[in-house]
Amino acid sequence: RRIHDGPWLYGDGTFDYTKKVEVPGSVNWPSSFDVMVNGSVRVLTGNSLPSHPTGEFPISRSSEAYSYDPNPNGISSQSLRIEFAATPTLASQPSCLRMGPLGVMLTGGLFFNALDAAGVDAVAHEVRDACDGHPQGAGTYHYHNLTPCVDDVEAGHSRLMGYAFDGFGIYGLRGEDGQLLTNNDLGACHGHTHDVTWDGETVNLFHYHATWEYPYTVGCYRGTAVNLPR
């Protein structure tokens, strides 16, 4: 789908996030998203439309973004219902991710694997809107990294930003002392275990973190993932 890589990508494999072209526009959506705990089960329901504005999709031919990534897809409502353990437990061993959706952000939008359909770093190569989202072929709006359109900071440690499909939470960019985390601070699955706020209580629990480094959100599942929507 991409015509060619943008000037924010460098020959050594790095890129400058601040120089990426954005899809223009500010479109509001009738977002619906709910998180319920029913006994030992957490239920997520919604229409996969984000609670924040998006760019205009399909991308306008007159925009600079179109010259690099002429995404032909529009955004459309999707039926979302996911159930998993309200307090998940670690599996005996990690499991691999698949391409596509890995979980749901509290904005109501899905978050996807760090790779795009061509198997390259989506955050580096794909052109997205100001909230770092865009739609795929079926119209599902999604992110490949943490959206900047939601404040992730509480008192020091980042707040809960969403749920992976194994039930574990994904938190923002900052750790226990408020420091900006890197991959070196996290395990292979892009998470670690310590006390976090979970359903209004302090619980010692494994959780994922977002970082500015690939794979950005989840590296592998530490719990048992449910049947995932495509």
Side-chain angles (χ1 to χ4, degrees):
R1 186 180 69 195
R2 287 188 304 277
I3 295 176
H4 57 83
D5 285 334
W8 58 88
L9 285 147
Y10 302 136
D12 61 359
T14 63
F15 71 101
D16 187 337
Y17 179 90
T18 65
K19 294 182 178 180
K20 285 193 67 179
V21 173
E22 293 180 352
V23 176
S26 182
V27 181
N28 292 306
W29 300 92
S31 176
S32 173
F33 181 65
D34 192 35
V35 181
M36 298 178 292
V37 176
N38 184 7
S40 62
V41 177
R42 189 181 309 277
V43 183
L44 310 184
T45 56
N47 61 9
S48 294
L49 296 175
S51 57
H52 56 70
T54 72
E56 294 183 9
F57 295 94
I59 299 176
S60 170
R61 289 177 176 268
S62 64
S63 73
E64 183 183 6
Y66 186 89
S67 67
Y68 298 109
D69 187 356
N71 188 336
N73 305 314
I75 298 171
S76 61
S77 175
Q78 313 289 324
S79 179
L80 174 69
R81 183 181 177 88
I82 301 292
E83 299 183 12
F84 41 66
T87 302
T89 57
L90 297 174
S92 59
Q93 59 184 7
S95 58
C96 295
L97 306 176
R98 71 170 194 174
M99 296 295 285
L102 306 177
V104 186
M105 289 293 181
L106 296 184
T107 62
L110 297 179
F111 67 91
F112 274 34
N113 190 296
L115 300 175
D116 70 4
V120 300
D121 184 336
V123 177
H125 291 265
E126 290 186 322
V127 175
R128 299 165 298 160
D129 63 20
C131 291
D132 276 352
H134 62 174
Q136 43 79 285
T140 302
Y141 184 85
H142 63 279
Y143 320 93
H144 294 273
N145 61 324
L146 183 66
T147 173
C149 291
V150 177
D151 182 8
D152 79 330
V153 177
E154 271 186 329
H157 192 274
S158 288
R159 67 182 64 187
L160 178 72
M161 302 300 290
Y163 298 94
F165 286 148
D166 61 0
F168 285 114
I170 176 168
Y171 290 72
L173 299 163
R174 298 186 180 275
E176 290 182 274
D177 298 322
Q179 81 278 17
L180 196 65
L181 295 170
T182 70
N183 287 358
N184 289 336
D185 299 311
L186 305 170
C189 289
H190 224 243
H192 57 194
T193 301
H194 61 70
D195 287 352
V196 292
T197 301
W198 190 250
D199 294 331
E201 299 181 358
T202 300
V203 179
N204 189 261
L205 190 66
F206 175 84
H207 56 283
Y208 302 103
H209 269 284
T211 67
W212 284 108
E213 301 169 287
Y214 181 93
Y216 308 109
T217 57
V218 178
C220 51
Y221 288 121
R222 279 303 284 117
T224 301
V226 299
N227 293 326
L228 311 180
R230 289 192 178 275

